[in-house]
Amino acid sequence: MGAQLRVYKRRIKSVTATKKITKAMEMIAASRIVKAQRQVAASTPYASELTRAVTAVATGSNTKHALTTEVENPVRAAVLLVTSDRGLAGGYSSNAIKAADQLTTRLKAEGKEVVTYIVGRKGVAYYSFRERPVVQSWTGFTDSPTYADAKKVAGPLIEAVQQDTAEGGVDELHIVFTEFVSMMTQTPVDKRLLPLSLETTVEESEAVKDKILPLYDFEPSDEGVLDALLPRYVESRIYNALLQAAASEHAARRRAMKSATDNAEELIKSFTRLANAARQADITQEISEIVGGASALADATAGSDN
């Protein structure tokens, strides 16, 4: 029984060390969520207003711009998948990858060829292990992205949209990322960035149909304004998606580490109970041996007296 007690003590020591690590990671993730939430809150109004401006240009002009005009028979679509660089975040990356797979299946069912771009080592590793083709990938900044990172990601995607499909270009641009809803809820979503969807504009116009709408005058031309605005639009939407994904990653990691810490505490309690039971069994056995030895000694003494 002494050997069993030593085994329990070693396990308690090991789990306690693991608990300290998971607790520290939980606290680090919790501290980073606040900064990530502030960045999301700061970038969302800019991205929304820029989207509204681009939409206004698209609806207020008669120019058929390549980045706002629906292709009659689209043949190729680009999908940007945003995952994490590090693990220990529960199902954060796997859920985003699953959403990307569902989007890819849907696009292929529509007869479109899908080309994939990936942000994050987890997504790169997943596609590499399964030998799936990836046009380009970026790593090293998923937990704290900057606008420069968003521009770096957006550049090749904008070039692909501007190119003809015969030269390797794409007709559509989609992004899959994890949207930060709350500390407890993060939802993988897929959104089409280009061509710009004007459905929301129609809905808004119905809501404000009794109001006076502004008139727009484009200089030097509406096409020139679109050429200038749309790259900024793509960069801002990707930047906002990267920030939401970062906040979601920290929240998912905090939740996963809290769960691991709670499980470690339960294991420590369980092993402590088992160790106490083993110690009590040792004590009981020692007492039984002492009592048995005393009885044997008493019997031997009584026999010698007779």
Side-chain angles (χ1 to χ4, degrees), residues 146-264:
T146 63
Y147 194 81
D149 297 323
K151 289 186 67 175
K152 182 169 60 176
V153 174
L157 295 171
I158 295 172
E159 291 178 4
V161 174
Q162 291 174 332
Q163 286 181 347
D164 189 85
T165 52
E167 300 175 356
V170 297
D171 298 315
E172 296 178 358
L173 171 58
H174 300 259
I175 182 170
V176 179
F177 66 99
T178 305
E179 188 175 44
F180 183 84
V181 180
S182 66
M183 293 288 288
M184 297 302 297
T185 306
Q186 301 85 42
T187 308
V189 295
D190 65 85
K191 296 184 178 181
R192 194 183 76 172
L193 299 185
L194 295 174
L196 184 62
S197 176
L198 304 180
E199 294 178 0
T200 54
T201 306
V202 174
E203 295 172 0
E204 290 175 0
S205 63
E206 288 293 331
V208 298
K209 60 183 178 180
D210 295 331
K211 298 182 180 179
I212 299 176
L213 299 178
L215 298 176
Y216 294 94
D217 187 19
F218 306 113
E219 294 183 0
S221 65
D222 46 1
E223 185 174 2
V225 173
L226 281 173
D227 288 337
L229 279 180
L230 279 168
R232 304 296 172 266
Y233 157 76
V234 174
E235 292 169 2
S236 67
R237 299 306 298 184
I238 290 178
Y239 181 50
N240 183 260
L242 291 177
L243 290 177
Q244 295 221 36
S248 299
E249 178 185 346
H250 294 315
R253 182 169 291 111
R254 174 186 174 276
R255 190 167 61 251
M257 291 300 98
K258 185 180 187 308
S259 177
T261 302
D262 293 342
N263 291 337

Side-chain angles (χ1 to χ4, degrees), residues 25-41 143 180 182-184 186 243-256:
M25 295 183 68
E26 176 191 348
M27 295 176 66
I28 292 172
S31 65
R32 290 179 176 176
I33 291 174
V34 178
K35 180 182 177 181
Q37 282 182 294
R38 290 174 181 171
Q39 290 179 319
V40 171
D143 60 343
F180 183 84
S182 66
M183 293 288 288
M184 297 302 297
Q186 301 85 42
L243 290 177
Q244 295 221 36
S248 299
E249 178 185 346
H250 294 315
R253 182 169 291 111
R254 174 186 174 276
R255 190 167 61 251

Side-chain angles (χ1 to χ4, degrees), residues 21-191:
I21 296 172
T22 57
K23 185 64 177 179
M25 295 183 68
E26 176 191 348
M27 295 176 66
I28 292 172
S31 65
R32 290 179 176 176
I33 291 174
V34 178
K35 180 182 177 181
Q37 282 182 294
R38 290 174 181 171
Q39 290 179 319
V40 171
S43 70
T44 300
Y46 174 77
S48 300
E49 288 302 319
L50 187 54
T51 302
R52 185 175 301 174
V54 175
T55 304
V57 175
T59 55
S61 67
N62 295 323
T63 302
K64 291 192 177 296
H65 196 276
L67 302 183
T68 58
T69 304
E70 293 277 355
V71 178
E72 186 175 352
N73 294 309
V75 297
R76 186 178 293 115
V79 174
L80 173 62
L81 169 61
V82 181
T83 61
S84 66
D85 285 324
R86 299 185 295 123
L88 300 177
Y92 166 77
S93 292
S94 61
N95 291 336
I97 292 172
K98 187 183 299 182
D101 288 342
Q102 293 173 351
L103 173 62
T104 300
T105 301
R106 187 170 73 248
L107 293 174
K108 288 183 177 179
E110 296 172 358
K112 302 169 187 174
E113 178 188 352
V114 178
V115 292
T116 306
Y117 298 78
I118 298 179
V119 173
R121 291 191 178 93
K122 289 298 178 180
V124 173
Y126 179 88
Y127 275 68
S128 176
F129 180 77
R130 287 159 181 78
E131 298 182 350
R132 297 183 182 179
V134 176
V135 178
Q136 194 166 345
S137 61
W138 301 268
T139 59
F141 55 81
T142 59
D143 60 343
S144 183
T146 63
Y147 194 81
D149 297 323
K151 289 186 67 175
K152 182 169 60 176
V153 174
L157 295 171
I158 295 172
E159 291 178 4
V161 174
Q162 291 174 332
Q163 286 181 347
D164 189 85
T165 52
E167 300 175 356
V170 297
D171 298 315
E172 296 178 358
L173 171 58
H174 300 259
I175 182 170
V176 179
F177 66 99
T178 305
E179 188 175 44
F180 183 84
V181 180
S182 66
M183 293 288 288
M184 297 302 297
T185 306
Q186 301 85 42
T187 308
V189 295
D190 65 85
K191 296 184 178 181

